[in-house]
Amino acid sequence: MPRARSAIKPSRRPTRPQSSWLSRNLKDTGRIEPNYPKVCGHQGNVLDIKWNPFIDTVIASCSEDTSVRIWEIPEGGLKRNMTEALLELHGHSRRVGLVEWHPTTNNILFSAGYDYKVLIWNLDVGEPVKMIDCHTDVILCLSFNTDGSLLTTTCKDKKLRVIEPRSGRVLQEASCKNHRVNRVVFLGNMKRLLTTGVSRWNTRQIALWDQEDLSMPLIEEEIDGLSGLLFPFYDADTHMLYLAGKGDGNIRYYEISTEKPYLSYLMEFRSPAPQKGLGVMPKHGLDVSACEVFRFYKLVTLKGLIEPISMIVPRRSDSYQEDIYPMTPGTEPALTPDEWLGGINRGTARAGLYFSLASSDPVLMSLKEGYKKSSKLVFKAPVREKKSVVVNGIDLLENVPPRTENELLRMFFRQQDEIRRLKEELTQKDIRIRQLQLELKNLRNSPKNC
């Protein structure tokens, strides 16, 4: 198996960027029209987006306008610009930089804002149910372990934390003075964390940690002297780690093991086109017949395109390769929001190819027959009345004075929208008043009243 992994070869298939957030046919490539429909409901820059892992048509986004919004892309894609979200979530007092879906529970969403808070949203009711308030600066990254019972974060205060998300209790904390952490990822069930950051000599660096003891890293390894962020991507099925640098065109890949030396360098994909960011195709969207084990979607802003990069294990046999396609997390949630909030971490659903191998695992699926099963879940936005949002005894929607010019502008635009809405309502009432006055005048002038 290590030999097969070391022979992984990337395959590039260029395509133009899709302005909409859903393409039903992955084979459709080429330039799109300038006026192609977009999702454009936020009033500020969109800082993060995440697809729902259990419902293929639902996406969460967060923005500088301090809101988190839930969107549903219609079947067949967008026909016109989408400006109305299924659900608008307001609870942060400053812009929201990160959103992350819970890996095993349906309709649980995490958001991290520049108010140094992490809010846990129960989308069944459309309200925040928990608040994690242990950070002293801007949160840079969120990552869950396999069953979602632990959350790890990196922060601008140079600390790495492992948190129990339901209680907000910090289980482990590391002060990273020699390794300034930027990004972090859980390494499956290995009880390991991997961080990317910058060393004291301003070189890009990665570090491997024991999640139960963050007193010092297990290993540290310098990568290069470039300045762009390193984005880590981990494939728990093949124990492969991919490192992609912002601003350069390289993707390095390593094999992770539980024994020393823990991290084994394999190969490097090189490209002259620098990447601004990268997205990843879920496992059930890969081409199993071609032995594709990972697929990136590389954003190349200089050329205005999105370039798929496939990681393929070359095999001569046409049979299903079970060694590179073990059981993988599927599209069935293991828990409901109430179950998870009540303290349960187990996988419970058992149907068809979906099952749980252990009490703490998510619901798994096999890719042997190809991915054909569609999710039965449908997102239903709760009907809510406008009210205060109180979490941990704090009203999150209190009038918070703007701290920066950007916050002042966001507050101004929000007030402009409210004024516009009130003006439209006033105009409708004026029209109704004129209609009633005309009807009254006609009644007075009718022959019966003479």
Side-chain angles (χ1 to χ4, degrees):
M1 181 60 187
R3 182 179 179 182
R5 288 196 192 110
S6 66
I8 291 177
K9 295 182 179 179
S11 171
R12 293 184 288 176
R13 294 174 290 183
T15 178
R16 288 291 168 181
Q18 301 293 313
S19 297
S20 67
W21 289 348
L22 183 68
S23 176
R24 301 303 295 176
N25 190 347
L26 294 176
K27 296 181 180 179
D28 290 342
T29 60
R31 185 182 298 275
I32 61 173
E33 298 296 329
N35 58 347
Y36 198 80
K38 303 175 181 66
V39 179
C40 49
H42 281 288
Q43 298 169 353
N45 291 332
V46 178
L47 301 180
D48 195 14
I49 57 173
K50 289 291 190 319
W51 288 100
N52 188 318
F54 309 117
I55 308 176
D56 288 342
T57 57
V58 173
I59 193 171
S61 63
C62 62
S63 168
E64 289 184 347
D65 63 9
T66 74
S67 73
V68 176
R69 305 194 185 200
I70 309 299
W71 312 86
E72 184 172 23
I73 308 301
E75 291 293 333
L78 296 174
K79 305 301 180 184
R80 60 183 65 87
N81 284 348
M82 180 178 287
T83 58
E84 294 295 328
L86 275 180
L87 196 57
E88 292 187 20
L89 307 173
H90 295 279
H92 290 281
S93 60
R94 304 182 70 181
R95 60 181 174 173
V96 188
L98 299 170
V99 287
E100 197 71 48
W101 295 93
H102 193 273
T104 63
T105 307
N106 188 37
N107 283 347
I108 289 290
L109 181 71
F110 285 61
S111 63
Y114 278 60
D115 52 7
Y116 313 155
K117 295 177 176 62
V118 177
L119 295 183
I120 306 175
W121 302 86
N122 181 355
L123 301 187
D124 282 352
V125 297
E127 300 289 347
V129 290
K130 301 284 183 180
M131 179 174 65
I132 300 173
D133 192 13
C134 60
H135 300 87
T136 60
D137 210 324
V138 176
I139 301 156
L140 302 175
C141 186
L142 304 172
S143 179
F144 287 100
N145 66 342
T146 302
D147 64 3
S149 61
L150 295 177
L151 173 72
T152 180
T153 66
T154 57
C155 183
K156 249 187 174 179
D157 61 9
K158 301 179 182 179
K159 289 186 178 180
L160 171 67
R161 295 175 174 89
V162 176
I163 303 168
E164 202 291 314
R166 281 165 293 214
S167 65
R169 186 164 56 97
V170 178
L171 304 178
Q172 291 286 329
E173 184 177 276
S175 182
C176 307
K177 297 180 180 179
N178 298 330
H179 170 73
R180 298 196 302 274
V181 291
N182 289 317
R183 297 291 184 268
V184 62
V185 63
F186 264 104
L187 300 181
N189 289 323
M190 292 185 178
K191 294 188 177 182
R192 298 283 191 268
L193 304 173
L194 185 125
T195 59
T196 66
V198 182
S199 70
R200 64 171 69 182
W201 297 281
N202 287 329
T203 58
R204 295 197 295 191
Q205 190 181 54
I206 59 175
L208 188 69
W209 307 77
D210 182 345
Q211 73 178 38
E212 297 177 349
D213 181 10
L214 299 184
S215 58
M216 62 181 300
L218 298 174
I219 59 168
E220 290 181 342
E221 183 172 320
E222 293 189 10
I223 303 300
D224 55 35
L226 300 179
S227 59
L229 290 176
L230 275 177
F231 300 110
F233 300 90
Y234 180 65
D235 181 7
D237 294 344
T238 58
H239 306 297
M240 294 282 294
L241 171 71
Y242 301 90
L243 294 179
K246 184 177 181 180
D248 56 80
N250 303 342
I251 300 177
R252 300 171 175 88
Y253 29 108
Y254 300 77
E255 183 179 12
I256 304 291
S257 64
T258 56
E259 300 176 353
K260 291 184 178 181
Y262 303 120
L263 197 65
S264 301
Y265 173 79
L266 298 180
M267 292 180 67
E268 181 176 358
F269 164 73
R270 293 179 176 270
S271 169
Q275 57 230 5
K276 183 78 176 285
L278 291 158
V280 174
M281 170 63 70
K283 277 287 181 174
H284 57 260
L286 300 179
D287 187 354
V288 177
S289 62
C291 296
E292 183 183 33
V293 294
F294 215 76
R295 187 190 305 167
F296 291 100
Y297 285 91
K298 173 180 173 179
L299 176 62
V300 186
T301 54
L302 294 179
K303 297 183 179 180
L305 59 83
I306 293 174
E307 180 183 26
I309 301 174
S310 294
M311 299 298 172
I312 295 174
V313 178
R315 296 283 176 91
R316 293 183 179 180
S317 175
D318 293 332
S319 61
Y320 181 70
Q321 307 294 316
E322 293 188 3
D323 58 334
I324 59 175
Y325 295 116
M327 300 295 292
T328 190
T331 57
E332 292 287 330
L335 299 169
T336 65
D338 291 339
E339 288 173 335
W340 183 78
L341 291 169
I344 301 175
N345 294 324
R346 66 175 182 269
T348 56
R350 292 172 178 265
L353 295 175
Y354 297 85
F355 61 90
S356 177
L357 292 177
S359 62
S360 62
D361 287 337
V363 181
L364 305 179
M365 65 176 289
S366 170
L367 300 178
K368 186 172 184 178
E369 303 300 329
Y371 179 72
K372 297 178 181 178
K373 184 178 175 108
S374 59
S375 175
K376 297 178 181 179
L377 296 176
V378 177
F379 183 81
K380 294 182 180 179
V383 178
R384 300 181 301 165
E385 295 181 0
K386 288 189 176 181
K387 59 179 181 180
S388 61
V389 178
V390 179
V391 178
N392 298 353
I394 301 173
D395 188 352
L396 300 177
L397 297 184
E398 287 180 333
N399 291 326
V400 179
R403 303 178 186 177
T404 64
E405 184 178 351
N406 286 336
E407 290 184 9
L408 182 63
L409 286 173
R410 285 194 295 275
M411 186 174 290
F412 169 76
F413 288 130
R414 192 179 299 169
Q415 290 176 348
Q416 289 295 307
D417 288 341
E418 181 68 13
I419 292 171
R420 190 180 302 110
R421 185 187 65 79
L422 292 173
K423 283 183 177 180
E424 291 176 356
E425 186 177 337
L426 185 61
T427 301
Q428 294 296 326
K429 290 183 177 180
D430 285 340
I431 293 173
R432 182 58 180 161
I433 290 172
R434 293 194 193 100
Q435 290 175 345
L436 293 173
Q437 288 176 340
L438 183 59
E439 291 177 6
L440 182 60
K441 184 177 180 180
N442 290 337
L443 285 173
R444 287 175 178 175
N445 295 334
S446 62
K448 293 181 181 180
N449 295 331
C450 295

